[in-house]
Amino acid sequence: LVESGRASLTWIGHASFFLVLGGLRILIDPILAPNLGLAGLGPTKRLVPPGIPLPDLAEIDVVLLTHNHRDHTDEWTLSRILAAHALDPHKRGKKTAPLRPRFVVPLGNGALLSKLGAGAIDELDWWQSITIGHVEITLVPARHWSMRLPWDRNDALWGGFVIRGPEGSAYHSGDTGFFDGFAEIGRRFSPIDWAMLPV
C-alpha cells in the first residue's frame, strides 16, 4: 500500500509517521537512529527497530518537524535522509544541496536544517499554511515547548500540522497537553480523517 501511491498512514514508532497524501510521500518527525542522544543523558538505545527501515524511505517529498526536541528532530536521521537525496543524476554523482525533500518546520527551526545541508526549508508561524502540489500544510498550535540545549529554551517555535489533500485531512499534534487549541483546530479544519495524538 505504501508503494502504491494511494493515500495511507503508517506508524514508524514514537511520533514518527509516514503519510502518503495527494501523491506526496510525507515523513513526520522521523526518528530512525539506532540510538537516541538525549541532551545530558547520553545515548539511549531504541527498544525496537523502526516500522519502516531507513533504506525504504529514500524517495521522500516532504519532511515535517513539529519541534526541536531530540526525540522529534534527530540529526542522525535527517543527515541520512538528505544524503539519500543529494546525488544529482545529471552531474555524475556530484553532491548538491537537495531540493528534495522539502522541509516544513515551525519558526526558528530552519538553521539546524541548513547546517545539515537541506536546500528547501519553509518556516511557518502558527496558522500559516503552505501548498505543495495538491496538499496544503498548516502549522497549528500545541501546548508544549522547545529546547535542544539548556540555554535555548523556547528560542524556536513548536506546534502540530494539519495536512489536507484530495483524499482527506490528517492532523499530527506534535507533543501537546490538552488545551483549548484543540477546539479551534477542529473548528477551522473539520472534518479531520486521521489524527496522530500523543498518549
Side-chain angles (χ1 to χ4, degrees):
L1 186 59
V2 167
E3 295 301 324
S4 72
R6 291 173 49 204
S8 65
L9 179 64
T10 304
W11 182 47
I12 296 173
H14 191 50
S16 304
F17 286 85
F18 178 66
L19 173 67
V20 178
L21 196 62
L24 293 181
R25 295 165 57 90
I26 302 167
L27 264 180
I28 307 169
D29 286 355
I31 302 291
L32 303 166
N35 297 296
L36 180 61
L38 297 174
L41 299 177
T44 302
K45 185 171 176 55
R46 72 184 306 143
L47 299 178
V48 295
I52 302 176
L54 183 60
D56 293 347
L57 292 170
E59 295 297 322
I60 300 302
D61 299 301
V62 181
V63 175
L64 307 180
L65 301 176
T66 60
H67 64 293
N68 67 6
H69 287 165
R70 292 174 189 272
D71 62 335
H72 291 255
T73 298
D74 175 46
E75 292 182 46
W76 186 96
T77 299
L78 297 174
S79 295
R80 280 152 182 81
I81 290 169
L82 285 163
H85 292 81
L87 294 179
D88 184 339
H90 303 294
K91 295 183 180 175
R92 295 186 166 259
K94 289 186 181 174
K95 290 215 167 204
T96 61
L99 298 178
R100 243 175 108 235
R102 188 164 170 180
F103 288 85
V104 183
V105 299
L107 289 173
N109 289 281
L112 172 63
L113 295 167
S114 293
K115 183 183 90 172
L116 294 175
I121 306 164
D122 295 288
E123 291 186 301
L124 302 180
D125 200 350
W126 287 343
W127 307 117
Q128 278 190 315
S129 299
I130 187 166
T131 300
I132 303 172
H134 299 291
V135 175
E136 180 189 67
I137 300 167
T138 304
L139 181 72
V140 294
R143 185 175 186 175
H144 201 45
W145 55 288
S146 69
M147 184 177 82
R148 281 192 79 76
L149 298 165
W151 52 84
D152 68 0
R153 186 179 177 96
N154 294 339
D155 283 352
L157 192 60
W158 59 90
F161 289 99
V162 174
I163 308 112
R164 297 197 289 185
E167 305 93 339
S169 297
Y171 169 47
H172 188 295
S173 69
D175 279 353
T176 188
F178 187 82
F179 75 129
D180 292 342
F182 286 137
E184 181 64 13
I185 291 165
R187 187 186 70 76
R188 293 191 189 206
F189 297 103
S190 183
I192 292 172
D193 301 291
W194 306 282
M196 296 156 272
L197 303 169
V199 176

